[in-house]
Amino acid sequence: MEIVCVSCSRGEDEVPLTEWRYQGDRFAVCPECLPMLIHHREQAMQRWHLNRQSGGDDDAPR
Ligand SMILES: [Zn+2]
């Protein structure tokens, strides 16, 4: 499975990617989208659907 930036969906062939871990999951972010994660983390996590504890949407495939 290809790893892509959680924000802009570019793959590691196009941009350098850093892999992060959160609540047992992993996601990748490229340098261009990283400031968003650092400076606006809560917004970014919501936008990228990384917050699991909020509400009852269960779109996480198991
Ligand atoms: Zn990106």
Side-chain angles (χ1 to χ4, degrees):
M1 178 154 170
E2 195 192 357
I3 297 171
V4 297
C5 173
V6 72
S7 178
C8 64
S9 300
R10 286 185 290 181
E12 61 182 356
D13 290 343
E14 296 172 78
V15 289
L17 291 176
T18 306
E19 230 185 346
W20 299 78
R21 303 183 61 97
Y22 183 62
Q23 296 183 342
D25 276 340
R26 297 174 187 210
F27 62 96
V29 177
C30 80
E32 281 169 48
C33 302
L34 191 56
M36 181 74 183
L37 180 64
I38 293 172
H39 298 294
H40 309 280
R41 191 174 65 210
E42 290 203 2
Q43 278 177 266
M45 303 278 287
Q46 273 180 11
R47 182 173 305 176
W48 303 338
H49 305 289
L50 296 171
N51 279 325
R52 277 213 228 127
Q53 64 263 42
S54 60
D57 77 34
D58 52 354
D59 58 356
R62 295 261 158 209

